[in-house]
Amino acid sequence: MIKSVNNYPISQLFDIDASVVYVIPKYQREYTWGKQHWQNLFDDLIENDPGYFLGSIICINQSTDTLAIQELEVVDGQQRLTTISLLFAAVYKAFGSGTGELNEDLLVERNNMKRKLVLRGASDRMRVVPQSQNRNHDDYRAILSEIEVINQYEIPLNAGNRRVMKAFRYFQTRIEELITAADDRNAALIGFVDKLSRASLVKIEVASHTDAYVLFESLNDRGMPLTAVDLIKNKLLAKIDRDDPVRVDYYFEQWLALLNELGEEYAIHERFFRQYYNAFKDELKGIIEVPIATRSNLIFIFEKLINHNATECLTKAAAAARLYSFILSRRTDNTLQDLRKPLQDLERIQGAPSYVLLLNLLTRRGQLGLNTEHLKAIINDLAVFFVRRNLTDTPPTHEVARLPLKILEGSRGLTGQDVVDFIQAQLAAVSSTDAEFRRRLEGSIYEENIGVARYVLTALAEDSMTTETFTDLWEKPGTQMTWTIEHIFPQGENIPESWVQMMADGDSEHAKQIQLLHVHRLGNLTITGYNSSLGNKSFVDKRDRTDSAGRFVGYKNGLSLNSELADTDRWSVEQIQSRGAALVNRAMELFAFPGVPE
C-alpha cells in the first residue's frame, strides 16, 4: 500500500524543524556513484532554473508514534540521497568557521544547513544514515566530524580512497571554484544554496517491503534497481539487527555465504528462494500458507517468515542453499558423489523445475529411507521426463511448475523404493506418448529445440563410451563449448557447389528443397569439435579434418555417433533417412519411460 506520494523541495524534505531521519539499511548496496554522477548533479543545479527535479526516493514508513523521531527506511534512491547529503556537508564547510567572517544572515543559512545534516537538539543524530558496507557509514561520520557538526570521530584508514570521501572532496572543489569565480563569494554561495534548497525530489512512502516490491514491478521502465532478493536481505538483516544487534555481523556473513553457494547469477538466487518455499511449504504453513511461491508474492512470503523468526529463517535457508549448490554441481559431497553426473544431465536438459522435489528429498533422505541408488534412479527418471517434455511441450509449462508439489503431497508416508516407484508413475502419467515423442524425434529436432537436440546427440554418443574412452562433450574451457552440433549437409542459405553436386546432381533448386526438408533432422546432425572450422567445407574435408597437432576433429574423431560418417565418401538423402531412423530408435530406447502409453 502506498501511503503517500509527494514532490517536495529539498528544503522541505530536509525540514530543519522535523525529526525525520532517512536510514539506508545497514546491509544495502554500498555507495557506488562516481565522478560522472557528482558532476551531472552539480551541473544540473547550476544550469537549470530553481525547482529542478532531481529524481525520486522510495521509503518504508512503519512508524506509529508521531511524537518520536520518524525513521524512514530508504529502499530506493539511496545513492541520490547520500550524494545530496555529502553536497550539504561541502556547502556547510564552505561557509567557514562562522567566527568573525559571516554576517547574521549567513550564520542563519549556515545553521540551517547544519540542521539538514543533524537533527535539532540531538547533536549526534544524523539526518541521513548511510549503510555500512565498504565503511560508507564510518566515512560519512568522519566527514561530519571534520566539518564539526557531530562529535569527534576518527577518520577511518584509507577513507580518502573510497567514494564517500571522494564525493565530498569533489563538491568542496566545485563549490570553491564557483564562489572564487564570482564577484561576491557570499552572494554566490547563497545563490547556490537557494537553488539546492528549491530543487525537488519525489518521495514515495510505502508501508512494507512487499509494497515496495509491488511498486518496483509496476514501474518496470525504471530498471528496478532493487530486486526481490535485495529486499529479502534488507528485511532479514534489519529484523536481526533489532532482535540481536550484537550478532548481526555474524548473520550478515551467513547471508553472504548463502549467496556464494548459489553463484553470481541473480536469476538463480530468485529461483532458489521460490523453490525453497515450495519445497518446504507444508512445514511452513503454520507461519504462512500460499499455494505456490511466485515472483509477485515472494517478498510477502519472506516477510512473514522473517517476522516469525528471522534467524531461524536464515539458518534453514542457508542449509537448503548448501544442498541447492550441490544440485547445481557447485559443491561437492562425498556421500552423494554418484549423483554428480545425473544432476549435471538434469541441468543440461533444463530440468530446473524439478529442483523443488530434489531439494526436499535430499534434505529428508534419511527420514525417507532414500539411499544413493534410489536418488540416482529418481534423477535419471526426471532427466528422461524433461527430454520428452521439452521436445513435445507435454505437459504444458504451468503444469510442470506444479508437478513437484503434487508429487510431494502424494508421496506422504512413502519410503525407500516406494518413493522411487511413485515418482516414476507420476511422471509417466503426464509425459507425452511414445508416438508423439517419436514423431518429434523424426522431425526437424534442431529447429524444434536446439537444447534437446544437443542433449540427445551427446547422450547417444556417451551411451557407447567406456570409462577408458569417456570424452566430456560438455567441456567449456572458455566462453564456448569445445564440442558443438554440426550439420553434415550445411544449413547456410548459400549451399556450396560441391554439396549441390553431391546431394542434387548439380540442381541448386532441388538442393534447397532437400535442405529445407532434411537439414535439421537427427540423421543430418552430429557432434564435432571445431565446428566453425568445418562450416561449408566438402564432406571429405569435414570427415578428414585435423587440428594443428594432427588429431582428427572431423567425423573421424572417434565418437560412435560418427562411425557411419567416418567410413563413407559421400552423403545423400537416403543416408540421412537411414541414419536418422537408427538414431531415433536408439533414442526411443534410451529415453523410454515404463508406463507411458504408446
Side-chain angles (χ1 to χ4, degrees), residues 307-322:
N307 286 334
H308 176 74
N309 191 322
T311 56
E312 180 182 73
C313 175
L314 177 55
T315 300
K316 289 186 174 181
R322 289 190 288 273

Side-chain angles (χ1 to χ4, degrees), residues 77 93 96 99 239 277 286 292 294 334 424 472 502 522 529:
K93 181 71 171 178
T99 55
K239 180 70 163 60
Y277 172 77
I292 189 169
T294 64
N334 292 334
Q424 186 181 82
D472 183 3
M502 184 165 63
L522 202 55

Side-chain angles (χ1 to χ4, degrees), residues 437-503:
F437 183 47
R438 177 181 286 276
R439 186 180 74 81
R440 297 297 184 99
L441 286 171
E442 291 174 339
S444 295
I445 185 172
Y446 182 88
E447 200 169 40
E448 196 83 42
N449 190 313
I450 296 174
V452 173
R454 190 184 200 286
Y455 186 87
V456 169
L457 288 166
T458 55
L460 290 170
E462 289 175 353
D463 191 47
S464 302
M465 293 179 186
T466 64
T467 304
E468 293 73 22
T469 63
F470 179 78
T471 302
D472 183 3
L473 301 179
W474 297 88
E475 180 185 37
K476 192 176 181 181
T479 58
Q480 295 182 325
M481 289 185 176
T482 301
W483 299 85
T484 55
I485 294 179
E486 159 72 12
H487 287 76
I488 303 166
F489 179 24
Q491 63 171 325
E493 184 177 347
N494 297 316
I495 304 173
E497 184 58 31
S498 64
W499 283 95
V500 174
Q501 290 295 332
M502 184 165 63
M503 299 296 293

Side-chain angles (χ1 to χ4, degrees), residues 30-241:
E30 67 182 76
Y31 183 63
T32 60
W33 272 22
K35 184 176 180 180
Q36 191 62 53
H37 298 97
W38 310 329
Q39 180 177 316
N40 290 343
L41 175 66
F42 198 90
D43 288 347
D44 286 345
L45 288 168
I46 295 295
E47 295 168 6
N48 288 282
D49 293 332
Y52 179 72
F53 177 62
L54 294 176
S56 63
I57 60 173
I58 300 176
C59 305
I60 296 174
N61 185 354
Q62 295 181 322
S63 60
T64 55
D65 187 349
T66 56
L67 298 179
I69 293 175
Q70 188 178 55
E71 289 193 356
L72 302 182
E73 180 182 338
V74 181
V75 295
D76 186 44
Q78 65 130 324
Q79 305 287 334
R80 182 173 288 105
L81 206 58
T82 301
T83 305
I84 290 170
S85 191
L86 289 167
L87 180 53
F88 288 160
V91 169
Y92 181 82
K93 181 71 171 178
F95 275 112
S97 65
T99 55
E101 55 189 85
L102 299 179
N103 60 34
E104 186 175 345
D105 289 341
L106 289 173
L107 283 171
V108 169
E109 290 291 349
R110 180 175 181 270
N111 190 58
N112 288 344
M113 188 59 64
K114 180 177 181 179
R115 295 304 161 210
K116 287 179 170 61
L117 293 166
V118 293
L119 298 185
R120 187 189 300 275
S123 59
D124 248 22
R125 195 67 159 95
M126 299 187 302
R127 179 82 66 176
V128 172
V129 184
Q131 49 72 260
S132 59
Q133 287 196 59
N134 200 23
R135 306 207 69 176
N136 289 169
H137 183 271
D138 290 340
D139 291 346
Y140 182 77
R141 286 189 70 89
I143 289 169
L144 297 197
S145 174
E146 177 184 317
I147 65 174
E148 300 179 350
V149 299
I150 65 170
N151 295 330
Q152 188 172 1
Y153 193 82
E154 185 177 350
I155 297 178
L157 189 65
N158 296 321
N161 295 325
R162 293 189 289 269
R163 292 177 184 268
V164 168
M165 187 65 76
K166 285 182 175 180
F168 173 64
R169 300 296 185 213
Y170 173 82
F171 288 134
Q172 276 190 291
T173 301
R174 290 298 307 272
I175 291 170
E176 184 60 30
E177 290 172 351
L178 177 70
I179 61 179
T180 300
D183 294 332
D184 186 331
R185 288 173 59 91
N186 289 338
L189 185 57
I190 292 294
F192 179 76
V193 170
D194 181 63
K195 278 201 166 186
L196 177 57
S197 298
R198 293 167 67 181
S200 67
L201 277 171
V202 168
K203 183 176 74 169
I204 305 171
E205 288 188 21
V206 295
S208 69
H209 288 80
T210 300
D211 294 335
Y213 185 66
V214 170
L215 178 61
F216 289 164
E217 289 225 304
S218 67
L219 302 175
N220 56 19
D221 61 336
R222 61 193 299 280
M224 202 175 77
L226 284 181
T227 65
V229 177
D230 287 327
L231 289 168
I232 290 171
K233 175 194 67 175
N234 292 346
K235 174 69 177 178
L236 176 71
L237 292 162
K239 180 70 163 60
I240 291 174
D241 194 30

Side-chain angles (χ1 to χ4, degrees), residues 548-568:
S548 58
R551 294 169 298 197
F552 285 109
V553 295
Y555 303 148
K556 292 184 178 181
N557 58 22
L559 297 182
S560 62
L561 193 65
N562 296 325
S563 57
E564 179 182 346
L565 305 176
D567 292 334
T568 185

